[in-house]
């Protein structure tokens, strides 16, 4: 079985996570048998159907909802797009949506597309700590005909949590269908979509130890969506032969969720150890995002390094096989500063410099003290080297 190179330090777990052993086992078991098409009525097809239905039940149990409310998708991106287009596209609700300025690019993209098609989309801002401006949300929702309120539960770049239940109550009062992107919250904090008063919730398998390319949208019974891919599969919400193997893995990952959650305190301890170490060993570091224990996921550390371009540091770390991220995974290939950090710190030269100098370290259940300490040994000389080069370049003697 392939295992990662022994010296690799993977601190990019908000981007993706290694396969959970329970997921690997469930997928290997399924690979060993003939998997039919779950839509076939014969025995072979029904074997696949049973496995998909078992996974659906596992996902539902982990969320505290009914199996008949789970729609499997290719990931959280598709779940987010189905939520947005599904609600705004069926013509019953108002063609208006309210969201935040710091959502995942998948939400920003579909919001921009719908705005081009004439939807009124309002983005609520955040404060300098990344917290949602609730009064602004309340004011926006008041008296408006909002079809959809869509917010992330936890931010992928900073780990800051949004008060989803409070926001959902405001949204429902205003008559909106309420969607939350649970992708970065699951496995880090307990989630309760029904209790929180949501109508729709997205999740992604590969952030939880399942394989990339599978996710789900929870659709509260009674909520009507217009299908992106019309057809008979997935409650009529998502046509196409199911990703049987991926779905089996997602079911196993969701069944293992309590085990993952039980590691949250230890993950937080290691993350805090990393932050303390960085503060003592590297000058000019500033943390991005609210650091109150109950307001963030506990696994994410977003740090701005003064006088450094985050992308340069990221590449230097990559050469040492140390994996981190500059901003969100999807925008890390570009040189644009993170929209999340710009929303927090503003577009002034200082705000942009802070965003440009940022790196995200994100931890998972299998990290160790030794790995954190190795990172703390390797990082300071790289920072010093890049700063030396930058300062030398700027002020030639
Ligand atoms: C908050 C959030 N939403 C959605 C996604 C997209 O998930 P997927 O990779 O399953 O499409 C991500 C992935 O980074 C995310 O962090």
């Amino acid at each position: 079985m392939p295992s990662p190179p022994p010296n690799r330090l993977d601190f990019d777990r908000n981007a993706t996570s290694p396969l959970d052993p329970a997921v690997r086992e469930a997928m290997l078991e399924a690979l060993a048998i003939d998997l039919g098409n779950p839509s076939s009525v014969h025995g072979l097809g029904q074997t696949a159907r049973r496995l998909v239905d078992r996974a659906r039940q596992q996902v539902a149990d982990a969320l505290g909802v009914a199996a008949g409310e789970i729609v499997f998708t290719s990931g959280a991106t598709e779940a987010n797009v189905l939520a947005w287009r599904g609600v705004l596209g069926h013509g019953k609700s108002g063609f208006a949506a309210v969201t935040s300025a710091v959502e995942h690019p998948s939400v920003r993209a579909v919001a921009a597309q719908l705005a081009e098609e004439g939807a009124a989309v309002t983005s609520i801002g955040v404060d300098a700590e990344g917290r949602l401006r609730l009064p602004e949300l309340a004011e926006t929702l008041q008296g408006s005909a909002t079809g959809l309120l869509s917010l992330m539960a936890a931010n992928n770049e900073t780990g800051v949590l949004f008060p989803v239940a409070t926001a959902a109550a405001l949204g429902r009062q205003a008559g909106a269908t309420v969607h939350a992107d649970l992708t970065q919250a699951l496995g880090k904090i307990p989630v309760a979509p029904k209790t929180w008063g949501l109508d729709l919730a997205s999740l992604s398998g590969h952030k939880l130890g399942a394989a990339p390319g599978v996710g789900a949208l929870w659709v509260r019974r009674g909520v009507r969506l217009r299908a992106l891919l019309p057809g008979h599969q997935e409650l009529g919400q998502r046509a196409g032969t199911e990703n049987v193997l991926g779905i089996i893995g997602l079911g196993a990952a969701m069944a293992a969720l309590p085990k993952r959650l039980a590691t949250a305190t230890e993950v937080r301890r290691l993350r805090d150890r990393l932050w303390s170490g960085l503060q003592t060993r590297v000058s000019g570091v500033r943390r991005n995002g609210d650091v109150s224990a109950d307001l963030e996921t506990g696994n994410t550390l977003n740090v701005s390094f003064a006088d450094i371009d985050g992308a340069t540091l990221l590449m230097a770390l990559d050469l040492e096989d140390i994996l981190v991220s500059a901003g969100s995974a999807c925008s890390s290939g570009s040189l644009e500063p993170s929209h999340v950090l710009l929303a927090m710190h503003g577009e002034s030269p200082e705000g942009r410099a802070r965003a440009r100098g940022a790196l995200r370290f994100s931890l998972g259940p299998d990290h160790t003290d030794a790995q954190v300490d190795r990172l703390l040994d390797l990082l300071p000389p790289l920072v010093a080297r890049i700063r030396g080069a930058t300062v030398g370049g700027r002020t030639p003697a």
Side-chain angles (χ1 to χ4, degrees):
M1 192 172 291
S3 50
N7 287 330
R8 170 170 299 157
L9 289 175
D10 175 2
F11 284 96
D12 199 16
R13 298 301 174 75
N14 285 5
T16 199
S17 58
L19 274 195
D20 186 290
V23 170
R24 191 187 300 272
E25 197 181 316
M27 290 178 78
L28 284 173
E29 251 175 44
L31 270 176
I33 58 174
D34 273 345
L35 285 175
N37 182 332
S39 296
S40 300
V41 289
H42 51 62
L44 188 60
Q46 290 312 296
T47 305
R49 167 62 52 214
R50 269 194 298 280
L51 292 171
V52 168
D53 284 347
R54 188 182 66 183
R56 200 184 305 281
Q57 190 64 55
Q58 287 169 317
V59 173
D61 289 347
L63 294 177
V65 302
E69 298 174 312
I70 301 297
V71 176
F72 287 119
T73 63
S74 62
T77 296
E78 186 188 326
N80 287 342
V81 175
L82 176 56
W84 274 71
R85 287 212 162 266
V87 170
L88 296 185
H90 81 59
K92 278 266 156 83
S93 54
F95 202 43
V98 175
T99 186
S100 88
V102 296
E103 296 297 312
H104 186 263
S106 56
V107 164
R108 288 161 64 79
V110 70
Q113 204 181 46
L114 280 157
E116 269 174 29
E117 293 167 25
V121 178
T122 308
S123 291
I124 307 299
V126 294
D127 66 14
E129 299 300 331
R131 293 174 294 224
L132 186 70
R133 293 190 190 280
L134 262 183
E136 194 179 316
L137 175 68
E139 202 178 310
T140 303
L141 287 169
Q142 236 171 35
S144 77
T146 302
L148 177 72
L149 169 63
S150 176
L151 293 170
M152 64 202 326
N155 189 277
N156 48 306
E157 296 192 33
T158 60
V160 172
L161 304 178
F162 275 173
V164 171
T166 309
L170 294 171
R172 287 171 83 86
Q173 256 168 35
T177 301
V178 183
H179 165 248
D181 180 351
L182 303 182
T183 303
Q184 294 290 348
L186 272 170
K188 297 167 190 159
I189 60 162
V191 305
K194 257 171 123 170
T195 319
W196 290 354
L198 305 177
D199 298 303
L200 302 163
S202 306
L203 64 96
S204 169
H206 69 119
K207 316 287 182 178
L208 300 167
V214 67
L217 182 69
W218 168 66
V219 184
R220 184 196 278 276
R221 187 165 293 136
V223 171
R224 278 197 49 222
L225 296 181
R226 183 169 199 269
L228 291 180
L229 300 173
H232 73 270
Q233 289 99 340
E234 295 301 303
L235 325 169
Q237 303 288 0
R238 205 271 189 182
T241 302
E242 293 87 341
N243 169 8
V244 178
L245 207 57
I247 288 171
I248 290 168
L250 178 59
M254 292 297 276
L257 211 55
K259 201 182 67 189
R260 206 174 184 83
L261 256 183
T263 65
T265 310
E266 174 62 5
V267 171
R268 181 184 293 277
R269 185 188 68 75
L270 288 172
R271 191 280 315 268
D272 290 346
R273 180 185 178 93
L274 177 56
W275 177 225
S276 313
L278 270 182
Q279 284 174 289
T280 46
R281 295 189 197 197
V282 183
S283 63
V285 286
R286 278 197 289 179
R287 181 131 172 227
N288 297 310
D290 195 323
V291 297
S292 326
D294 56 343
L295 292 177
E296 49 99 20
T297 52
N299 85 310
T300 306
L301 178 62
N302 192 310
V303 180
S304 290
F305 295 79
D307 303 320
I308 265 198
D309 183 44
T312 308
L313 182 52
L314 179 141
M315 285 184 278
L317 287 164
D318 187 32
L319 290 175
E320 306 286 335
D321 213 8
I322 301 170
L323 317 183
V324 300
S325 174
S328 71
C330 307
S331 59
S332 59
S334 82
L335 289 174
E336 268 308 291
S338 139
H339 69 282
V340 175
L341 299 181
L342 288 182
M344 289 163 63
H345 304 309
E347 299 265 356
S348 65
E350 198 198 311
R352 292 183 77 82
R354 188 156 173 187
R356 277 198 191 283
L359 279 193
R360 177 189 72 185
F361 305 86
S362 48
L363 281 69
D366 56 301
H367 277 122
T368 61
D369 283 284
Q371 288 172 322
V372 169
D373 291 349
R374 209 155 75 75
L375 175 61
L376 284 170
D377 284 341
L378 292 169
L379 188 62
L382 290 177
V383 172
R385 198 180 74 204
I386 295 169
R387 277 184 179 154
T390 312
V391 173
R394 264 203 221 130
T395 52

